[in-house]
Amino acid sequence: MTVQQTIENKLSTGFTPIHLEVVNESFMHNVPDGSESHFKVVIVSDKFAGKRLIGRHRAVNQVLADELANDIHALAIHTYTEQEWHTLQQQAPDSPNCMGGSGK
């Protein structure tokens, strides 16, 4: 199973999302071809209702603790309730361009 598939499975199980996107953005960085080290996650779940942004991110980080410790170098997290997602017209912000890196 790829790192991306693992992330998708864990977030699906942990949050029962209405919408989930896991995007491998490694190609945007100075890493070898085929890397799975930089990801963007967009997750819409009723489980975020009443939680502040920091609590939402902590919950995602907890579910992905093993991957963050071993596989993921960078993780952009966008968490929304269903209402917030519709207010944003179902669109999360684009990730910024890579500003360099070590190539590891």
Side-chain angles (χ1 to χ4, degrees):
M1 185 178 311
T2 67
V3 174
Q4 183 170 350
Q5 290 169 328
T6 300
I7 293 168
E8 289 169 353
N9 289 343
K10 286 188 169 187
L11 293 176
S12 290
T13 300
F15 296 98
T16 317
I18 297 158
H19 176 82
L20 176 63
E21 292 175 54
V22 178
V23 181
N24 182 351
E25 296 186 328
S26 300
F27 70 93
M28 297 168 55
H29 301 273
N30 187 18
V31 297
D33 288 343
S35 292
E36 287 191 289
S37 57
H38 295 69
F39 290 92
K40 173 180 173 178
V41 167
V42 179
I43 184 168
V44 180
S45 175
D46 291 335
K47 292 190 178 187
F48 297 136
K51 293 189 178 175
R52 294 178 25 188
L53 184 61
I54 189 76
R56 296 174 183 191
H57 285 210
R58 284 180 179 152
V60 170
N61 287 338
Q62 184 176 9
V63 168
L64 300 178
D66 187 52
E67 290 70 31
L68 286 164
N70 297 297
D71 302 310
I72 299 173
H73 173 73
L75 182 64
I77 304 171
H78 303 278
T79 56
Y80 306 104
T81 63
E82 186 173 10
Q83 181 178 353
E84 292 166 340
W85 184 237
H86 288 295
T87 299
L88 291 169
Q89 298 178 348
Q90 301 178 354
Q91 194 167 8
D94 291 332
S95 295
N97 291 327
C98 180
M99 300 300 291
S102 64
K104 291 183 182 178

